[in-house]
Amino acid sequence: EKRARENSDGEEDSDEDGWEEEEQEASTLGDEFRTLGAFDLICTLGTGSLGHVSLARHKKTRALFALKAVSKADAVRLRQVDHVVSERRIQTAIDHPFVVHMPAHFQVWRLGFRV
């Protein structure tokens, strides 16, 4: 299904830019980790050109996670969609001590989140 919205610049946002497949994939932590409401945000750990990373506590398990929020509009504007999608694929697939594992990811409207 193609969805389009008008963004704040009057341009059309479309889900045809590689983000739609992210919604289809399952989390290794389960569905209770796939909503922003499942976490209490504690503080910001860092910021970058596409978003920010926050320290978050999962409400149910009380476990601490780094929660990365990526602006989909900025990724498209800066032509970084392929890099963002590749980062997600690599971090979800690889189990190596030198690579941070990403056990869950989800989207809330214009933001992509990585746990």
Side-chain angles (χ1 to χ4, degrees), residues 59-107:
K59 291 178 181 178
K60 185 176 178 182
T61 65
R62 308 298 294 160
L64 292 173
F65 292 93
L67 184 65
K68 182 177 184 179
V70 178
S71 167
K72 292 165 64 173
D74 287 344
V76 171
R77 181 178 53 82
L78 296 171
R79 294 177 164 65
Q80 295 295 308
V81 173
D82 289 340
H83 295 113
V84 172
V85 172
S86 293
E87 175 190 48
R88 181 195 44 82
R89 285 186 183 140
I90 291 167
Q91 285 184 306
T92 329
I94 291 183
D95 182 19
H96 191 277
F98 299 148
V99 178
V100 175
H101 180 68
M102 181 177 48
H105 51 85
F106 57 92
Q107 296 184 55

Side-chain angles (χ1 to χ4, degrees), residues 34-80:
R34 295 191 62 173
T35 65
L36 189 55
F39 296 93
D40 288 323
L41 301 181
I42 298 170
C43 65
T44 298
L45 298 174
T47 59
S49 60
L50 298 179
H52 63 278
V53 178
S54 299
L55 180 62
R57 183 181 308 275
H58 188 255
K59 291 178 181 178
K60 185 176 178 182
T61 65
R62 308 298 294 160
L64 292 173
F65 292 93
L67 184 65
K68 182 177 184 179
V70 178
S71 167
K72 292 165 64 173
D74 287 344
V76 171
R77 181 178 53 82
L78 296 171
R79 294 177 164 65
Q80 295 295 308

